[in-house]
Amino acid sequence: MGQSNKLWGGRFEKDTASAMTNLSKSTHFDWRLATFDLLQTDVHVQALNRSKLLSDAETKQIRIAIKDIHNKVSSGALKPNDSDEDVHTAIERLIIESVGEIGGKIRAGRSRNDQAVTDFKLFLRGSARIISQELVGLCKAINEQATKYFDQASPGFTHLQHAQPVTLGHELAKHSQALLRDIERFTDWDARVDTCPLGAGALAGSALVTDSMWVANQLGFSRPSENSIDAVSDRDFVAEYLFICSVIGVHLSKFAEEIILLTTTEFGYATLDDQYATGSSIMPQKKNPDAAELTRGKSGRLIGNLTGLLVTLKGLPFAYNRDLQEDKEPVFDSHDTLMLLLPALTGMIQTLSFNTEKLSSNAALGHSLATEIADYLVKKNIPFNQAHEISGKCVKLAESKNMEVHQLSASDLSFVSKDLTSDVLEVLTVKASLLARSSYSGTSPVNVKAQIGRMNEKISVLIKWANHNPIPEIL
């Protein structure tokens, strides 16, 4: 790294050792922030002009250079040099090479400390929206399937054991509910991220550019950061972002696990489309759920990225420390991982087919209608603890006869309890069970359709947020 390419060095007599240069260099990952660095540099140049520290002519010349560099960086035609320490060094060098000595004026009134965190906030606000757009696409795919099967009977499980019948639409819709909460987490997070650190300087603020509100608004923020020390050292917003990504990963992994189970020969409830399955190099019959398995596997790295950053942050003194350079790679990895997973998972869900006949025939297995007996008795004013005991005895009798509880005859049921009269058989059907679950969040077909409708309304609101980019373009 040549001494002339550094943003520091006046008090140093010796050049940096190559081992130190290699350790310090970050352009191999932070060049990804180049367009954001150019944007905030453009705003900073205008702020210097407003403070009478750059003339109108100098400002115009530098801004033209910034736009030209931005176009070349965006197209991939311009890359950093090996001698550039970081993205900020590279951008300043490029501007100076373009406009000459006046390019050195752009560093006045700011530090790499507030530059770095500003660039990162700009990137993350965009990333959250891009990921949310993909999540909306996945939720729509799930809801389309849920609508198709809103009244399709299906086994319901707890502890991976048959529990009560549910509709397949209800089962599918639960995943949309979780993913929509993830988007809402991003919207909540974005409100906290909506503060601009530029102007915080190294830690004490700026004596040269003081109109922080103007700077914030020009960069798409509603307000400047409150405390300059906190502004340059805060990485809560990064940890929160990685937390949301890790929760998304957990939700995707749980969904993937269900798909893996449902498509096994043992379950046989669903079949993957050929486009979203793979084969075996030795067993010609295999159809493997690799998209689901890779989703389940990659959730681990999303969790690991969060954990790694938290360990980095836990003992740092104020204000800025170079350790904070370690915030970027886990974020880039989490963003890229989700952008790889979400389109594949969406396609897999859109093309997934279900064995409705088997789902229906298995919905009542495992004595899953036993709760209907207890509810029937409660409606006859029998305390639930007694009703539960009677229902359990009915299950025991059915097992002794090697049958399901709903297959017991009226005489069998009345033998267990005189309160179980012949009309109990009317509630011992899957259809009756589904219709009875009419509470607001219940699985009755009418409720499932209403639930999906409410989710679609929420999606229409969230997609507006996701499609709105608060980050301005370079003029």
Side-chain angles (χ1 to χ4, degrees), residues 16 72 79 159 220 239 329:
T16 310
K72 291 176 180 176
K79 301 288 185 183
H159 306 273
E329 289 177 285

mmCIF file of all heavy atoms in Angstrom, residues 16 72 79 159 220 239 329:
data_model
loop_
_atom_site.group_PDB
_atom_site.id
_atom_site.type_symbol
_atom_site.label_atom_id
_atom_site.label_comp_id
_atom_site.label_asym_id
_atom_site.label_seq_id
_atom_site.Cartn_x
_atom_site.Cartn_y
_atom_site.Cartn_z
ATOM 1 N N THR A 16 4.098 1.066 6.097
ATOM 2 C CA THR A 16 3.417 -0.076 6.705
ATOM 3 C C THR A 16 4.010 -1.385 6.219
ATOM 4 O O THR A 16 4.261 -1.568 5.025
ATOM 5 C CB THR A 16 1.917 -0.037 6.339
ATOM 6 O OG1 THR A 16 1.398 1.256 6.618
ATOM 7 C CG2 THR A 16 1.143 -1.071 7.118
ATOM 8 N N LYS A 72 -19.373 3.972 -13.710
ATOM 9 C CA LYS A 72 -18.366 2.953 -14.018
ATOM 10 C C LYS A 72 -18.330 1.858 -12.962
ATOM 11 O O LYS A 72 -18.160 0.674 -13.270
ATOM 12 C CB LYS A 72 -16.996 3.605 -14.159
ATOM 13 C CG LYS A 72 -16.860 4.490 -15.405
ATOM 14 C CD LYS A 72 -15.509 5.191 -15.452
ATOM 15 C CE LYS A 72 -15.403 6.065 -16.702
ATOM 16 N NZ LYS A 72 -14.136 6.839 -16.725
ATOM 17 N N LYS A 79 -12.763 -0.973 -10.657
ATOM 18 C CA LYS A 79 -12.481 -1.767 -9.472
ATOM 19 C C LYS A 79 -11.398 -1.067 -8.648
ATOM 20 O O LYS A 79 -10.663 -0.230 -9.160
ATOM 21 C CB LYS A 79 -11.990 -3.170 -9.862
ATOM 22 C CG LYS A 79 -12.964 -3.975 -10.715
ATOM 23 C CD LYS A 79 -14.157 -4.447 -9.918
ATOM 24 C CE LYS A 79 -15.055 -5.348 -10.756
ATOM 25 N NZ LYS A 79 -16.259 -5.762 -10.007
ATOM 26 N N HIS A 159 -45.947 -32.967 18.682
ATOM 27 C CA HIS A 159 -44.913 -33.964 19.010
ATOM 28 C C HIS A 159 -44.687 -34.951 17.860
ATOM 29 O O HIS A 159 -44.250 -36.084 18.076
ATOM 30 C CB HIS A 159 -45.270 -34.740 20.284
ATOM 31 C CG HIS A 159 -45.553 -33.870 21.471
ATOM 32 N ND1 HIS A 159 -44.569 -33.424 22.315
ATOM 33 C CD2 HIS A 159 -46.722 -33.348 21.934
ATOM 34 C CE1 HIS A 159 -45.109 -32.680 23.265
ATOM 35 N NE2 HIS A 159 -46.419 -32.607 23.047
ATOM 36 N N GLY A 220 -31.839 10.250 2.651
ATOM 37 C CA GLY A 220 -33.033 9.436 2.849
ATOM 38 C C GLY A 220 -33.341 9.108 4.290
ATOM 39 O O GLY A 220 -34.244 8.309 4.567
ATOM 40 N N ALA A 239 -26.608 -6.111 14.337
ATOM 41 C CA ALA A 239 -26.983 -7.315 15.089
ATOM 42 C C ALA A 239 -28.468 -7.612 14.923
ATOM 43 O O ALA A 239 -28.871 -8.771 14.759
ATOM 44 C CB ALA A 239 -26.636 -7.138 16.564
ATOM 45 N N GLU A 329 -18.773 -8.724 6.576
ATOM 46 C CA GLU A 329 -18.799 -10.023 5.900
ATOM 47 C C GLU A 329 -19.974 -10.901 6.338
ATOM 48 O O GLU A 329 -20.612 -11.530 5.487
ATOM 49 C CB GLU A 329 -17.463 -10.729 6.080
ATOM 50 C CG GLU A 329 -16.345 -10.073 5.271
ATOM 51 C CD GLU A 329 -14.997 -10.722 5.483
ATOM 52 O OE1 GLU A 329 -14.404 -10.487 6.547
ATOM 53 O OE2 GLU A 329 -14.540 -11.465 4.592
#
